[in-house]
Every structure is written in C-alpha cells, then in structure tokens.
Amino acid sequence: MSPLTGLRIVEFDGLGPVTFLGMMLADLGADVVRLTRSESAGAAVFTEVGGAILHRGRTAVPVNLKDPEDHARVLDLVAHSHGLIEGFRPGVMERLGLGPEPCLARNPGLVFARVTGWGQTGPLADAVGHDINYLALSGALSTFGEADRPARPPLNLVGDYAGGAMMGVIGLLAGLLQTRTTGRGAVIDVAMTDGVALMTALFHALKAQGLWTEARDANLLDGSTPFYRCYRCRDGGEVAVGALEPRFYAALLAGLELTPEDAPQYDRSRWGEITERFAAIFATRDRDDWTARFAGTEACVTPVLSLGEAVSNAHNQARGTFTAEGAPAPAPVFNGTRPEAEASAGQTNIADALSRWS
C-alpha cells in the first residue's frame, strides 16, 4: 500500500507547479483526477508539457466548466474528494463558481490548495509573472551567478517546484491533518514568493551575523571559494568540489598533490590565486580520471553529470532513482520501498470519474 492510498484529489490542470504537485501526490498513491479543458469549451487546450512524466499516475477528465451539467458534476466530484489543487490567478476559480466558498459548502472537510506566484493577496496578486520574477522579488535570485554579470536563474526548480509544488504538498498534507483533528476544511494560500523566501532562512541568519554579504559571488556557498565550485577538465567535462570542512579540504589537496601551505583554505586574499591553480590542475586530466582518483576519499569531488548520464549512474541505478524508462522515480523511499511510477491512467469522462468515487 502506498502512503497516500485512499486519498482523493481533484486537480485543475495547468502548467508549472500544480502539474508537478499532482504528479507527486499520484506518485505517493493518491487517486488524482486531473480536470482538463475540453475542446468544446472554446478555450485553448493546455499544452501537454511533460506529457507522460508530469501527467503520470492520474486520470485526465475533459470538462467544459461553462456547461451547467459539467459544472454540477465537478462540484459532485469535489463533494467526494479530500483535497483540491489549482494554480489559476486569483479570482478565476471564483468566477467559475468553483472557489473555496461553494466547494467548502459542498464538502466542509475539503482542503483547497491554491498555488500562485504572488499569492492570493498583496499589491502584485493579480500581476502576471514567471519563476524568474518570483525568485527576483524573494531576494533569492540576487545570489545566483557571477559578480560581473547579471543574475542567472537556476532553471525553474527553485520557484515553480520547490517554492510552489513542494510547499503545496506540505500545505495540503498539513491541512489534511488539521481537518482530521478539527473536522473542518482549510484553504491553503501557497505563494512561490513566500516559499522561496522561506528557503533563504539560512542566508538571512548568516547576514544578521555578518557572515553573508549582499555582493554576489563573494560568499561561502555561492561558488566564489576555491573549495566549493565546479572545475572544467581536459575533456570538457566538469567536476563539482564541495570540500568545506578542513578534513575534506585536506583530502582534496592530497588528491591534487598540494600541501596546506600551497593553498591555505581560509586565506581569502589568496582565493583567486588558489582557484586558478586548482583550475589548471583539473584541466590536466579527463573528468572520469578525476572521478576515479577521488573515489573512496573524503574530498567531496563528484562528476557533473548530464541528465542522460545521471540515469545510468551506478549509485542512482542501485537506488532506483530513475525508472526503467529513464524518468525520475517517485520519492522519497518509505520503509525501504520506493513508490512505483504509474503511467497516465488515460482519459475518461466526468460521469465515470464520479461513479468511481461515489
């Protein structure tokens, strides 16, 4: 039995964090019905971004929310669900007659999770935006990149998926636990700006102690030190070095055939020189040669793998981190068993979906 077996979730199809959120819930065993816009609704059909991976494990149900019959059946479906997830701009669900008020009227124990960039309230609540904008306003984007270049966004992993989808999972499950205790439902307002800001807690703490500067590319964990960054190798591959602790740094120096006197770890005045020296040494061997050289040591040196290489990596294969088809597998692992990724349950109509739940 999967951890979320028996949990019924209505997902209003969209892009970005809600799609990922729905995938995670389905991966963990929830019965998720993904409501998609029917072509008869006269609106553009949502782009099938991610397809077989991001939509895995759940049933797609086309609905026309402007059709009174479909609208009534959606509310019937909500009445038989435990949770609802949506990512529309504030007010859209209300205009559709499917906001928290009518949904909680039909199902007082429902947990209604709303995932947006700016949140349901605030001056920017109605503004458009994307992951990069939410990172920018949270302060996190200012920390990514090199000092002499504009900030560089770290894909959409931090805003959409960490600050949005994963915060959505946490909020939804916390709401379900609260409902189990109180019998009352909850409306969860997940803003990506809030989630990303929360993840910068460590750096605010360091800044308060004078241990973090606002300057980019000048701090311990932002790639500015010689012992916490990536280096290009002879064959064009790269290695990642994370030798933060003194004993790990000692192992790094040993592998590079250097002494502490050659490269004192915390002499900031020499970091530029040391970085250049490390770079020159790493450039003398191929990436996999360095991987083999540091294997079994405490130097914290690993190859920078491509997406394809990550699938075939021995450690990832041993853990089942990816499926046999090469897609990321569900996570985390429960009691030594990883949840299985199921293919999309295909498409059905809302009447059949409703009959299954009722």
Side-chain angles (χ1 to χ4, degrees), residues 173-232:
L173 296 182
L176 290 168
L177 289 175
Q178 175 183 284
T179 298
R180 180 180 296 178
T181 302
T182 66
R184 296 190 301 273
V187 179
I188 314 298
D189 177 2
V190 180
M192 286 179 249
T193 46
D194 293 350
V196 176
L198 179 62
M199 288 186 290
T200 64
L202 169 63
F203 310 105
H204 280 277
L206 292 173
K207 183 173 177 291
Q209 299 175 55
L211 301 175
W212 188 271
T213 172
E214 297 278 19
R216 186 160 51 247
D217 198 17
N219 294 285
L220 187 62
L221 300 177
D222 64 5
S224 63
T225 73
F227 49 85
Y228 197 85
R229 65 186 304 142
C230 296
Y231 290 95
R232 183 69 53 85

Side-chain angles (χ1 to χ4, degrees), residues 257-326:
E257 298 182 350
L258 295 173
T259 68
E261 292 72 27
D262 293 326
Q265 184 172 13
Y266 287 107
D267 185 348
R268 296 178 71 97
S269 68
R270 295 186 60 187
W271 278 357
E273 163 207 333
I274 295 169
T275 297
E276 290 181 4
R277 189 165 189 178
F278 284 5
I281 295 173
F282 277 114
T284 64
R285 293 171 177 261
D286 292 349
R287 184 196 69 180
D288 291 347
D289 291 341
W290 285 117
T291 301
R293 184 177 183 85
F294 284 107
T297 74
E298 292 187 327
C300 299
V301 175
T302 51
V304 177
L305 302 180
S306 68
L307 294 177
E309 288 175 320
V311 174
S312 58
N313 174 262
H315 178 79
N316 293 337
Q317 287 195 337
R319 283 190 56 81
T321 303
F322 295 88
T323 68
E325 295 73 30

Side-chain angles (χ1 to χ4, degrees), residues 35 76 89 111 119 143 159 198-199 213 234 248 258 289 322:
L35 300 181
D76 288 341
R89 290 168 69 181
V111 176
T143 68
L198 179 62
M199 288 186 290
T213 172
R234 182 174 59 188
F248 298 163
L258 295 173
D289 291 341
F322 295 88

Side-chain angles (χ1 to χ4, degrees), residues 45-254:
V45 178
F46 282 110
T47 305
E48 293 289 302
V49 176
I53 298 178
L54 289 178
H55 293 154
R56 69 191 182 197
R58 51 221 203 264
T59 304
V61 177
V63 293
N64 180 358
L65 296 178
K66 294 182 180 180
D67 178 272
E69 187 174 347
D70 272 9
H71 188 278
R73 284 177 168 172
V74 169
L75 280 174
D76 288 341
L77 200 64
V78 168
H80 290 87
S81 67
H82 299 101
L84 180 154
I85 57 177
E86 62 98 357
F88 299 122
R89 290 168 69 181
V92 170
M93 290 290 282
E94 284 80 358
R95 290 193 292 275
L96 291 170
L98 293 167
E101 187 173 341
C103 287
L104 286 165
R106 288 297 305 274
N107 183 352
L110 179 74
V111 176
F112 194 115
R114 327 188 74 172
V115 184
T116 59
W118 309 112
Q120 299 295 313
T121 61
L124 293 177
D126 294 324
V128 297
H130 282 294
D131 183 284
I132 189 172
N133 306 117
Y134 314 137
L135 292 184
L137 204 72
S138 72
L141 186 58
S142 70
T143 68
F144 299 123
E146 299 174 352
D148 58 348
R149 297 183 182 183
R152 190 178 184 90
L155 302 182
N156 70 327
L157 301 176
V158 180
D160 278 350
Y161 290 165
M166 292 193 177
M167 287 292 177
V169 171
I170 293 169
L172 178 73
L173 296 182
L176 290 168
L177 289 175
Q178 175 183 284
T179 298
R180 180 180 296 178
T181 302
T182 66
R184 296 190 301 273
V187 179
I188 314 298
D189 177 2
V190 180
M192 286 179 249
T193 46
D194 293 350
V196 176
L198 179 62
M199 288 186 290
T200 64
L202 169 63
F203 310 105
H204 280 277
L206 292 173
K207 183 173 177 291
Q209 299 175 55
L211 301 175
W212 188 271
T213 172
E214 297 278 19
R216 186 160 51 247
D217 198 17
N219 294 285
L220 187 62
L221 300 177
D222 64 5
S224 63
T225 73
F227 49 85
Y228 197 85
R229 65 186 304 142
C230 296
Y231 290 95
R232 183 69 53 85
C233 303
R234 182 174 59 188
D235 59 352
E238 297 176 0
V239 292
V241 175
L244 287 171
E245 292 79 1
R247 90 175 193 213
F248 298 163
Y249 186 68
L252 172 66
L253 293 184

